[in-house]
Amino acid sequence: GARVSDAIMPFPVPPTYQLSEEIAMLSKEYEIATGVNSVVNNLEISKVEVLLVKAKDMNFEKNSAHVPKDSEKILQEIKDYVESNDLVMTIVGYADSFGRPSYNERLSLKRAENIGEKLVALGMSPDRIQDTLGRGEKNPLMSNDTPEGRFENRRVEFRLVKKGIEL
């Protein structure tokens, strides 16, 4: 589900691929990088907004890092949004909890790398990908006790920030 905090704004992407409208609406409500600075007890505190995108229909098959079929349309929309808003991204891959943790970390990293390669193949500049990470079985969205839960956990997420901001 969607949780909103000061630093991260996750939101579901509708299955009808209305990504651009959905993000545009959120972007109007929240500036992506607010640039709000304050000083508290000699500490400078800056607020940076990170958009966390979990795309529906972008889940991976068991033991597979192959980019899911039918994902090109959603990847094209993510690419277009990133370019039109001058953003950069970190792509984070995940796995279910079956298998050894070391295997799942490598598999989840390969998933993130393959999605990055697909975005570049669609014409996105490679310098828009700040990092690709594999988190293995960490941060499950659902229980790994059911096939449906494991399927939801085999995913990638996109962390988007304004170009020039490093996290």
Side-chain angles (χ1 to χ4, degrees):
R3 299 176 307 261
V4 178
S5 73
D6 281 342
I8 299 176
M9 297 183 307
F11 52 91
V13 176
T16 54
Y17 300 114
Q18 299 301 318
L19 179 66
S20 301
E21 293 86 6
E22 185 81 11
I23 294 178
M25 181 192 72
L26 284 168
S27 300
K28 287 185 179 94
E29 285 182 39
Y30 304 96
E31 283 185 0
I32 291 167
T34 63
V36 174
N37 293 317
S38 60
V39 176
V40 179
N41 295 332
N42 297 320
L43 297 176
E44 183 176 328
I45 300 170
S46 298
K47 182 178 177 186
V48 176
E49 297 291 355
V50 177
L51 294 177
L52 180 63
V53 179
K54 157 66 173 92
K56 295 279 187 207
D57 301 327
M58 287 275 298
N59 297 84
F60 291 78
E61 294 301 319
K62 184 179 175 185
N63 291 324
S64 173
H66 293 292
V67 176
K69 61 181 185 199
D70 304 329
S71 65
E72 191 165 312
K73 185 173 183 176
I74 190 72
L75 288 173
Q76 183 69 46
E77 289 198 33
I78 290 170
K79 171 200 162 299
D80 293 345
Y81 182 77
V82 164
E83 291 173 342
S84 65
N85 290 281
D86 200 23
L87 303 173
V88 293
M89 68 171 64
T90 296
I91 305 170
V92 185
Y94 293 93
D96 61 31
S97 64
F98 276 51
R100 292 174 163 247
S102 58
Y103 172 79
N104 286 336
E105 285 180 23
R106 288 192 307 275
L107 178 61
S108 62
L109 176 60
K110 189 65 180 156
R111 288 173 174 164
E113 291 170 346
N114 287 352
I115 291 292
E117 289 170 10
K118 184 70 171 172
L119 286 165
V120 171
L122 289 171
M124 192 174 82
S125 172
D127 69 354
R128 291 211 180 264
I129 301 173
Q130 276 189 326
D131 206 356
T132 50
L133 304 172
R135 293 288 189 234
E137 57 199 60
K138 295 180 180 129
N139 305 326
L141 294 178
M142 296 181 71
S143 168
N144 280 298
D145 294 336
T146 67
E148 297 80 16
R150 290 189 294 275
F151 181 74
E152 287 299 316
N153 293 332
R154 297 189 300 262
R155 69 194 190 278
V156 293
E157 293 177 350
F158 304 87
R159 297 176 186 168
L160 308 177
V161 295
K162 275 288 189 194
K163 196 170 186 178
I165 294 174
E166 299 222 7
L167 296 179

